[in-house]
Each structure stands twice: as structure tokens, then as C-alpha cells.
Amino acid sequence: MIREAVIVGAGLGSRLKDMTKDRPKGFLELDGSYLVEMSIKKLLEHGIERIIIGTGYCSEWYEKLAKKYPAIETVHNANYAGTGSMGTLEVCAAKVTSDILLLESDLIYDSVALFTLLNDHHRNVVLGSGATNSGDEVYIAVDENIEVAAISKKLEMVGKSYAELVGISKLSYKTLQAMCSFAASHHQDMPKMEYETALVGAQKMGEHLFVRKVNYLAWREIDDASHLEMATKEILPRIQENESIRQVRREVLLNPGPATTTDSVKYAQVCADICPREEEFGQMMRWICDELTLFIGKKEDYETVLFAGSGTLADEVMVSSCVPQDGKLLIINNGSYGQRLAKIASVYKMDYEVYESSTYEAIDLDALGKKLDEGSYTHLAAVYHETTTGLLNPIPQIGRMCHDRGIVTIIDTVSAFSAIPIDMERDCIDFMASTSNKCIQGMAGVCFVFCNRKELEKLKGEPMRNYYMNLYDQYQYFSKTLQTRFTPPVQILNALRQAIIETKQETIEARYTRYTACWNILVDVVKELGLEMLVKEEEQSHLITAILEPQDGKYSFEEFHDLAREQSFTIYPGKLGNINTFRIANIGDIQPHEMEQFAQFMREYFRK
Ligand code: PLP
Ligand code: MG
Ligand code: MG
């Protein structure tokens, strides 16, 4: 699996004259976007976690871009005017930790280029295309194994051209090191070496370098004004058409999860088969756990444990594993999911009590405080966001009240995590559960328990109430072996990895702002239509809204649902005893303009 990319972007771009007077080539604009930024988005969509950019000329442009993309790390080649692309790659190589994709900064390309290289079974692959007639061709000749025989701009130097060099390659860590040592031995006689020369140099040192040709690849390198014109008029429209053909039919899920996902998350499931017992897969799961942890706290103090299963499984893991035999649990119930926590405790015949609170009004914290003082509770379980109603419980306050009394907190954050910013230490949460298919925007099938490490370690030696769902056993086994005890859902984990990359890019704070923008659009239309919401606005989560069904005899949820579905919107019935509601969730990869479209649909339906 390739996780890192290097972009060499230090050059002057002198052939572009005035167009690069104030900026590097990567910042030429095409259809309103910077070349290099289009490339960065494609890399992120293809599972690249870390993008190292070698800068030189006008490096401040890249510094600015790095602020927008947390995955970018820049490295400056101070001697960019005195070196070639290999000099910049040498500076970048010091930061590289694994196999890479290597790209030039002045390219536009169909993302199938990345898919092709990432899927090629060779470790070192140079991407080639058919004839471009661009006037600046770099030819590649190959031997009988389709390994590079020669690379040159001069056709007579390569003999017979097999393909044109695109400027995107996949390289092993070892080959990159060989390129660097080749370059280092020629600093005197070839100070302006291009990376292509070092590629061939590394090959002479024994590295195998294959060529993968995609005959009709839509791509262009932009080195002069004529390339820019070709790129705008001819290539970009082809790329846009190809990429739109590959888009998955859009369904906007306004049900409270599984939530709408990006196409890149969907496509992340289409990957080479792998045995999950391979070290490579174990490392990926380790990365997933660590990155999930970093969303809620420090790795030293918190640990994330993965399970195959849905959100309820993570709830059952927590309730059944985190309360010792002599512990006493208080469960707050103010909706279906609080009730579910109580049901789990009852099935295991645990020592527990239920604290009942209104399903649509805020919890009375004074009364809860008294209750906590009365019983000798060791643990408290509650739901952060009651998805039944959209009521947001004041977990940070409740957490504080518990910690002040030495009570361990177990929180269901199934529909809150990755939307509402949570800091487990600040919010006094010891264990919390969530799942892959809600606000983290992955596929259904994986759930996780975030654990306060100190509290987790205290569970060592506790008798197990169950086997498959035991938290400590799963944690212990994974820590030792980098494997889960039982078969993990491989493709769902790949998709979760992609969802994490995209969450890091968006950030949880910005995601909550986007969700809130969508919620505001919904609330506006609800008020405009004279509909009523179950929960007071200020106590709502901004993630899901329960709306009272109109008393009009003509209203039918089925009809409303079916008409919405025809327009690719999925809505959800309410779920609360004798109060009839329908629910609109606005989590997942939903954009405000889509919520506007749904608001318009609601206007038309309810006015009719
Ligand atoms: N807890 C909460 C707060 C939820 O919203 C949900 C699902 O919507 C669950 C638990 C159960 O999750 P699952 O259906 O994935 O088991
Ligand atoms: Mg060129
Ligand atoms: Mg170039």
C-alpha cells in the first residue's frame, strides 16, 4: 500500500515566461483551479496520507497551500537554481519513510493514472502514454520485460519509443535511496541532474524499473503557453468527462446513518485482496486506531480498540466489559439508545439502575447530581446524542459531575463522534463507542471503543461476561500481534482508512460547521412551513431533527418518503412511543446546496 507522495515543484518554469513571473508552475490556473491543487485532491482521494512537496522558486505559494491541506509537508531546496529536479528529490527523500508516488508539479491528468500505478503489482513503475504530439515529448524505450531501456527527449537516443513519459512514477523506498546515492556520486559532474537520469542510474545499480503504458491517457505536462492552451481546450474536458462517467449515482441519505459517503470512500473498497494476517494489514489497522485516537486525545493516554460489527456491538462491548463484577452502573435513559444500554445491562444481569429523563427535554443536572450522591455507583452510562430525537445531552457537564465523584463514564457517541468535537480528557469520558458509518463517513461494518488507557488497564484479569465482545482481550491481542482475534472486514477497513484521511482534511470542527449549515437550511424551511420540532432548537445536536407530523389527514409518511426517494433523498420515520415524528438527519457527505434542494422538495410537498 502506498501512503506517501512526493511532488517536485522547485523549478523556475522559465518557458512559461510572464505566466510564472510571480508563481511556481504548479500554480498555473486551469478552469479556476491550480494545477498542483487538482493533483493534491486526486492523491488524497486515492489514499495518499502524506504529500511531501519539494519547493524552491516562489516557495511561499506552497507554504500557503500547506496550510489548507494538513497532509502536505514542504521541504525547501535552497539551491533550486543550481540543481535540477533530482536535487529537489534528494531534499525530499530525507523525509520519505516508505514507497512513494513521485509526481511533477506541472501536470494535469486523469486520476486513472494513479489507480493504474497503485494497482500495478510491480514496486517500481514509470507511467507512460501513447503519442501526445505535445512538442515536448520524453520518450521511453523498453526491453523484452517492459523494463526501462532508455529515457530521453531525443528520439535518436532511445531508438524505438515504446511510450511517452508522463511524469508520475511509483518507486520503492530502496529504489529512491539508490537514486539518491547515484545523484550524490555525480554532484560534481552533473549538478543539474533530472530525476529521470537518476532513475536510469538506479537501474544500472540493479533496481528493476517497469513501464506501464496507458495508451489513451488524458494528460498534459505544461511547460509553455501552447501546452496550457492544449490542456484547457482539449485535455481538461476529456478528463472531466472521464471522471464524471466514473461517479457513482448520488443518493442523499437523510436517515440517521449509514450516512452518505464520498465516491473516494466507496472506491477505497475496490482493492487488491489481502490476508488480514499480513503485517501490512496489521500496520494499517494500527494506523486507523492511532488516527481515531488522535481525534479525541493523546496516544499516550487513550487507545482505540476495533471490532467488526455495528454501533450496538460497541455499546455492548463497553457495558459488558467496562463494569467489574462488584461495580454498580447508573444508566441515563432519555431515548431509544439509552434504553438499549439498559437492555444490554439487563441481559448480562448486571447490578444497574436506570435514571429516567424526558425524551425531548434537557436532563435536570441537579436531580441527576442527587441521584449520583445517593447510590454507590461506580460507573455511569449515557448517550451523547440521542439519535431518536436529536437531543444533545450535556455530556461534558455530566462527565465532570461523575469524575468529581470518582465515577467512571461510559458514553455512546455513535452519532456524535466526528461531528461534535470531543476531547475525552476535557469532557471527562473514560470509554466511548462509535461506528464507521456515521459522522466519520465510512461504510457500515466496523465499530470502535475509545478507552482511557488507565481505566482499560484496570480491566485486566476481570472475569469475562462474553468472549467475542471482550474489550480487554481484543485490546491485548491486537497490541501483541497487530491482528484482531477474529476475521476483520478488510474492505470496510480500507474504506474507513480513506474516511479518516478525508476527515483529517476537512477537520471535525469544519465538518460540524458544514453539518450546522445544512441543519440551518432545514430548520428555516421547517419554520417557513409552520411545522414543529420535537426538541427546542438550543438543545438540538444540529445533526438530526425530529419533526412532528402534521395533523392533516392528507399527510402520509409513506407518500412523503416515496416522493423524496424518487428525487434521491432518503428520509426516516420517527421512533418515539406515542409521538408521531419524521426525522431528517444531515450527517454524512452532504453539501448545503443539496439540503437546499431538499428544502425545496419539502416546500412543494407540504404546500400541496
Ligand atoms: N447508539 C446511537 C446513539 C445510535 O444513533 C445508533 C444508531 O443509529 C446506535 C447506537 C446503534 O447503531 P447500529 O444500528 O449501528 O447498531
Ligand atoms: Mg517537459
Ligand atoms: Mg515540466
Side-chain angles (χ1 to χ4, degrees):
M1 172 177 283
I2 305 282
R3 315 156 74 112
E4 294 180 315
V6 173
I7 299 177
V8 281
L12 280 158
S14 49
R15 278 181 288 164
L16 284 148
K17 310 221 170 68
D18 275 1
M19 284 185 281
T20 49
K21 216 165 67 184
D22 69 333
R23 63 181 73 189
K25 285 196 287 187
F27 289 87
L28 288 174
E29 282 178 58
L30 235 75
D31 203 25
S33 305
Y34 297 131
L35 281 185
V36 74
E37 192 169 3
M38 288 193 261
S39 183
I40 284 159
K41 285 185 182 157
K42 288 177 195 199
L43 289 167
L44 292 172
E45 283 168 7
H46 284 76
I48 300 298
E49 295 157 22
R50 193 164 169 245
I51 302 170
I52 300 161
I53 305 185
T55 70
Y57 177 65
C58 291
S59 57
E60 63 281 4
W61 285 74
Y62 283 110
E63 299 307 331
K64 209 171 148 202
L65 193 67
K67 296 214 170 74
K68 188 169 163 192
Y69 293 89
I72 295 181
E73 279 174 53
T74 58
V75 217
H76 192 62
N77 175 11
N79 187 22
Y80 67 90
T83 59
S85 58
M86 190 57 209
T88 305
L89 181 55
E90 283 181 82
V91 179
C92 295
K95 290 228 163 194
V96 169
T97 65
S98 61
D99 292 10
I100 58 164
L101 285 181
L102 172 63
L103 299 95
E104 298 175 27
S105 65
D106 53 357
L107 295 172
I108 63 163
Y109 57 88
D110 182 333
S111 62
V112 84
L114 302 180
F115 184 83
T116 306
L117 286 184
L118 295 171
N119 270 294
D120 198 288
H121 68 277
H122 295 299
R123 279 185 79 178
N124 294 312
V125 190
V126 172
L127 187 67
S129 77
T132 59
N133 303 309
S134 69
D136 197 35
E137 295 87 341
V138 177
Y139 303 104
I140 314 172
V142 293
D143 67 13
E144 60 284 4
N145 299 322
I146 322 290
E147 287 191 55
V148 171
I151 302 180
S152 177
K153 280 197 171 187
K154 298 197 183 90
L155 195 50
E156 62 275 17
M157 298 288 286
V158 300
K160 192 170 176 302
S161 170
Y162 169 74
E164 287 185 25
L165 181 82
V166 174
I168 310 178
S169 308
K170 181 170 80 170
L171 299 173
S172 74
Y173 182 76
K174 178 165 162 277
T175 300
L176 179 64
Q177 299 307 316
M179 287 168 73
C180 289
S181 64
F182 175 83
S185 64
H186 289 282
H187 280 164
Q188 303 306 322
D189 56 322
M190 296 168 82
K192 292 204 167 191
M193 186 187 290
E194 298 296 338
Y195 78 91
E196 296 94 318
T197 308
L199 272 176
V200 177
Q203 205 188 15
K204 299 232 166 72
M205 293 161 74
E207 299 300 309
H208 288 277
L209 195 59
F210 294 88
V211 180
R212 177 68 184 262
K213 181 176 179 181
V214 180
N215 216 348
Y216 298 108
L217 182 70
W219 74 279
R220 191 60 81 241
E221 183 192 12
I222 299 171
D223 279 326
D224 66 26
S226 77
H227 299 150
L228 188 60
E229 191 179 329
M230 265 190 269
T232 313
K233 289 202 176 136
E234 188 194 324
I235 309 297
L236 191 63
R238 274 176 60 200
I239 293 175
Q240 286 167 341
E241 179 176 37
N242 291 346
E243 292 183 348
S244 80
I245 289 167
R246 295 195 293 269
Q247 272 170 18
V248 179
R249 178 168 55 86
R250 184 79 176 157
E251 286 289 339
V252 176
L253 300 183
L254 302 175
N255 49 290
T260 307
T261 54
T262 59
D263 280 4
S264 33
V265 165
K266 294 180 190 76
Y267 276 121
Q269 297 172 102
V270 183
C271 50
D273 293 322
I274 184 168
C275 169
R277 307 255 173 244
E278 286 296 315
E279 154 95 18
E280 181 187 347
F281 197 79
Q283 292 296 355
M284 189 190 79
M285 290 193 286
R286 181 72 265 167
W287 183 89
I288 288 176
C289 293
D290 290 346
E291 293 296 332
L292 287 173
T293 302
L294 289 171
F295 285 129
I296 53 79
K298 293 195 208 79
K299 273 201 297 191
E300 309 86 86
D301 302 332
Y302 294 88
E303 174 71 271
T304 304
V305 183
L306 297 175
F307 288 85
S310 78
T312 306
L313 188 119
D315 281 340
E316 187 159 346
V317 165
M318 288 197 305
V319 172
S320 63
S321 299
C322 299
V323 186
Q325 300 294 323
D326 57 358
K328 184 166 180 194
L329 176 65
L330 183 68
I331 301 168
I332 300 178
N333 173 19
N334 62 348
S336 304
Y337 296 104
Q339 201 172 10
R340 189 173 295 182
L341 295 174
K343 176 77 189 173
I344 295 168
S346 80
V347 168
Y348 289 99
K349 300 191 166 54
M350 293 167 62
D351 184 5
Y352 75 100
E353 269 177 47
V354 180
Y355 180 81
E356 303 283 351
S357 178
S358 159
T359 50
Y360 50 88
E361 281 175 340
I363 295 170
D364 179 344
L365 292 180
D366 289 337
L368 176 66
K370 287 203 190 94
K371 180 78 185 164
L372 289 175
D373 289 333
E374 277 166 20
S376 45
Y377 307 109
T378 56
H379 291 68
L380 172 129
V383 176
Y384 203 115
H385 166 221
E386 249 307 341
T387 324
T388 339
T389 54
L391 180 64
L392 192 66
N393 288 328
I395 292 300
Q397 284 100 302
I398 294 174
R400 168 62 44 216
M401 287 163 61
C402 288
H403 277 192
D404 286 348
R405 293 164 170 84
I407 295 171
V408 175
T409 54
I410 296 174
I411 309 296
D412 167 331
T413 59
V414 170
S415 61
F417 167 68
S418 194
I420 294 166
I422 295 173
D423 175 329
M424 285 181 70
E425 190 180 342
R426 179 198 65 200
D427 300 338
C428 303
I429 303 174
D430 295 308
F431 295 99
M432 67 181 217
S434 193
T435 158
S436 54
N437 64 267
K438 282 199 167 34
C439 304
I440 192 76
Q441 300 184 179
M443 295 294 157
V446 176
C447 58
F448 23 89
V449 178
F450 299 91
C451 311
N452 172 336
R453 220 177 256 289
K454 280 199 200 108
E455 293 300 331
L456 179 61
E457 288 299 343
K458 287 184 195 164
L459 303 177
K460 186 176 180 180
E462 268 302 315
M464 288 157 85
R465 289 194 175 91
N466 51 30
Y467 179 49
Y468 198 96
M469 282 176 280
N470 187 265
L471 180 63
Y472 190 81
D473 217 34
Q474 182 87 336
Y475 155 68
Q476 181 74 350
Y477 190 83
F478 184 74
S479 304
K480 280 197 191 135
T481 62
L482 277 192
Q483 293 176 11
T484 49
R485 290 175 301 161
F486 314 106
T487 309
V490 172
Q491 289 73 14
I492 304 303
L493 284 164
N494 279 331
L496 177 58
R497 171 176 179 270
Q498 181 63 31
I500 290 171
I501 290 174
E502 294 176 15
T503 305
K504 285 175 74 178
Q505 173 54 36
E506 181 170 26
T507 75
I508 290 177
E509 285 74 14
R511 179 163 295 176
Y512 194 51
T513 304
R514 172 167 62 82
Y515 286 174
T516 298
C518 290
W519 176 77
N520 280 323
I521 293 165
L522 178 72
V523 169
D524 284 348
V525 73
V526 163
K527 289 186 195 160
E528 180 192 317
L529 293 170
L531 295 167
E532 261 184 83
M533 295 181 284
L534 181 66
V535 176
K536 276 197 216 132
E537 250 175 273
E538 54 282 15
E539 279 151 19
Q540 288 189 38
S541 61
H542 306 184
L543 305 175
I544 182 162
T545 309
I547 301 162
L548 300 180
E549 294 196 318
Q551 292 307 308
D552 186 329
K554 282 189 240 147
Y555 169 87
S556 128
F557 177 79
E558 282 69 32
E559 184 193 44
F560 181 35
H561 167 273
D562 293 353
L563 288 171
R565 196 65 219 288
E566 277 173 28
Q567 300 199 19
S568 298
F569 294 112
T570 303
I571 59 168
Y572 212 61
K575 209 183 184 188
L576 201 69
N578 51 359
I579 308 175
N580 290 333
T581 63
F582 64 91
R583 289 185 291 168
I584 305 297
N586 49 268
I587 60 174
D589 177 48
I590 297 173
Q591 302 302 325
H593 75 268
E594 292 172 311
M595 210 60 192
E596 291 285 6
Q597 288 164 4
F598 180 71
Q600 189 52 31
F601 166 76
M602 273 183 70
R603 271 184 205 104
E604 284 160 20
Y605 178 77
F606 283 98
R607 294 234 166 98
K608 191 190 76 181

